[in-house]
């Protein structure tokens, strides 16, 4: 029986077919540019060599399938994903999951917030937008070696990019308010995700939530998703929470860690995370595995490759208990 499972998250940075217009300020990829991006992405996927990979910024399932066909180890892997488009028919970014482990069924996109959760609305926020994820998380049930059913959620929360509205000025106040709108959206999505993850937790199954959180692990929004400090019944503290795999890994080595996944304005940040339930925490009496080590594949961020992602990839190695000497 397989003794180690590997989970990874990979923001591929705008994966779309050549010639597709994604944003007004972004030129479509030429055929040559797409070819370079597809080849680099395929090599990076093989380098991760993970059993389950969550992807962000997938504009086309067909493009992702093409990338997988270029890999050595994922041509037969199962893809769970969905396409999305706006009212004008322009492609929108989505998340996806690729697994070499069996899936219990098709993935489900969580488009709507749970009841009672919404973004702070203003005159520019439509009612339906206030109660929906900008990029719907994808919920998939994965069968671990030995048959343990595990809930996996791939996420991509709202970015820090200022949310300007038509007619906004360019002064300091307008910039600050635009940043606040982005934070409010990301915060509401974090609350919605926490509620949905808590509902999954009632089953007692292991949970893994991974993806681009657009904030560091200690940020309020990420802490909301993890449920850090939330009130609960005595003895239920570990059952309610999610844990940052990077923080609970057994092989902690401060001298080796270069765990950033993003560089913005010369600031090195880790905004891509793998969160796990107590089932993969060494301190839990209910653990079925332990996070051995977390790696960040980020060398490409300093090379400035035009066809590479602007995010590093995060890989968590989990040792299954009861199957090893």
């Amino acid at each position: 029986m397989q003794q180690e499972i590997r989970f990874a998250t990979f923001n591929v940075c705008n994966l779309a077919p050549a010639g597709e217009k994604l944003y007004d300020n972004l030129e479509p990829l030429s055929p040559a540019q797409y070819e370079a991006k597809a080849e680099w992405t395929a090599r990076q996927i093989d380098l991760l060599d993970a059993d389950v990979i969550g992807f962000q910024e997938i504009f086309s399932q067909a493009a992702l399938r093409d990338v997988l066909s270029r890999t050595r180890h994922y041509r037969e892997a199962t893809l769970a994903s969905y396409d999305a488009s706006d009212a004008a028919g322009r492609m929108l970014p989505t998340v996806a999951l690729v697994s070499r482990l069996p899936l219990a069924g098709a993935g489900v996109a969580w488009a709507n917030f749970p009841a009672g959760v919404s973004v702070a609305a203003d005159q520019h926020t439509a009612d339906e937008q206030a109660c929906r994820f900008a990029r719907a998380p994808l919920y998939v049930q994965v069968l671990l070696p030995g048959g343990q059913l595990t809930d996996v959620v791939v996420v991509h929360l709202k970015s820090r990019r200022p949310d300007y509205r038509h007619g906004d000025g360019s002064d300091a106040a307008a910039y600050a308010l635009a940043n606040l709108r982005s934070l409010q959206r990301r915060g509401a999505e974090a609350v919605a995700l926490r509620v949905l993850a808590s509902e999954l937790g009632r089953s007692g199954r292991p949970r893994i939530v991974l993806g681009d959180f657009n904030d560091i692990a200690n940020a309020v929004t990420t802490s909301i998703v993890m449920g850090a400090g939330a009130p609960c019944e005595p003895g239920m503290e570990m059952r309610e929470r999610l844990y940052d795999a990077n923080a609970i890994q057994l092989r902690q080595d401060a001298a080796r860690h270069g765990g950033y996944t993003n560089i913005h304005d010369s600031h090195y940040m880790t905004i891509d995370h793998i969160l796990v339930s107590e089932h993969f925490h060494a301190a839990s009496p209910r653990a079925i595995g332990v996070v051995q080590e977390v790696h960040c594949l980020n060398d490409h961020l300093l090379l400035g490759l035009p066809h590479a992602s602007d995010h590093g990839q995060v890989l968590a190695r989990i040792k299954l208990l009861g199957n090893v000497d």
Side-chain angles (χ1 to χ4, degrees), residues 85-105:
S85 59
D86 62 16
R90 182 176 290 186
M91 291 179 170
L92 293 175
T94 65
V95 302
L97 179 141
V98 170
S99 179
R100 298 187 303 204
L101 298 175
L103 304 185

Side-chain angles (χ1 to χ4, degrees), residues 194 222-230 241-242:
R194 164 89 303 236
T222 315
S223 295
I224 287 172
V225 178
M226 290 191 284
R241 286 197 55 184
L242 294 170

